Amino acid sequence: MERSFIMAKPDAVERRLSAEIIGRFETRGLRLVGLKLIHPSRELAETHYAVHRERPFFNDLVEFITSGPVVAMVWEGRDIITVTRTMIGATNPVNAAPGTIRGDLAIEVATNLVHGSDSLETAEKEIALWFAPSELLP
Ligand code: IDP
Ligand code: MG
């Protein structure tokens, strides 16, 4: 079964939307196999977003993601990347469809509430970065 790394970002925790976000994946029928509250270090954040290192918003992105606790999760299910990315919605919430997390609950691209891996290859790397094998259900 396929797995993805999903994170409720600091804005989600600050706005008390963690349960809402977890609940959407739960009620969809996905299986939660890893969950923890963590205040990310700069090193962890920079590694996680390394693909964006050259982007003009990289520093702001790292500052933001290290600004408070996040809810780090691993969800499992068939076609997990497509299912979770569709549920999360477009990167810029202005373009996110109603019914998606970003389309229902966010309006700014920098504070778009949730991260989801964009491929199985990325997911594998992100899961290994954020979780020890012992922290995940078999
Ligand atoms: P994704 O989260 O939908 O996969 P990415 O392109 O991987 O989007 O970008 C990572 C994060 O960087 C986004 O979720 C968003 O918070 C932030 N971001 C992306 N583009 C911009 C931008 O143009 N300005 C500010 N922040 C951005
Ligand atoms: Mg991305």
Side-chain angles (χ1 to χ4, degrees):
M1 200 59 104
E2 297 163 352
R3 293 180 169 193
S4 184
F5 174 71
I6 306 288
M7 164 171 57
K9 298 182 186 182
D11 52 331
V13 176
E14 171 73 23
R15 292 177 55 197
R16 310 297 194 254
L17 290 171
S18 310
E20 162 81 25
I21 290 167
I22 294 168
R24 287 186 176 223
F25 295 112
E26 247 184 344
T27 52
R28 186 71 192 271
L30 304 178
R31 178 176 179 244
L32 183 61
V33 295
L35 175 71
K36 64 181 171 186
L37 188 67
I38 173 174
H39 192 143
S41 67
R42 175 160 280 272
E43 189 189 357
L44 177 59
E46 286 182 353
T47 306
H48 174 76
Y49 281 123
V51 67
H52 296 306
R53 202 176 289 275
E54 305 305 326
R55 300 281 199 90
F57 59 83
F58 180 72
N59 274 329
D60 288 345
L61 181 57
V62 169
E63 280 296 321
F64 170 65
I65 216 71
T66 57
S67 69
V70 302
V71 180
M73 298 167 260
V74 178
W75 288 90
E76 184 183 87
R78 195 169 296 118
D79 296 316
I80 191 72
I81 302 296
T82 304
V83 169
T84 52
R85 293 281 297 192
T86 302
M87 290 174 70
I88 290 167
T91 301
N92 188 337
V94 167
N95 303 318
T100 65
I101 294 169
R102 288 168 175 166
D104 287 348
L105 306 169
I107 200 73
E108 298 282 348
V109 67
T111 49
N112 60 8
L113 294 174
V114 54
H115 166 84
S117 307
D118 60 10
S119 70
L120 288 177
E121 196 182 28
T122 310
E124 199 177 326
K125 283 187 203 154
E126 291 178 349
I127 291 167
L129 176 67
W130 289 84
F131 285 89
S134 61
E135 294 174 318
L136 300 172
L137 295 182

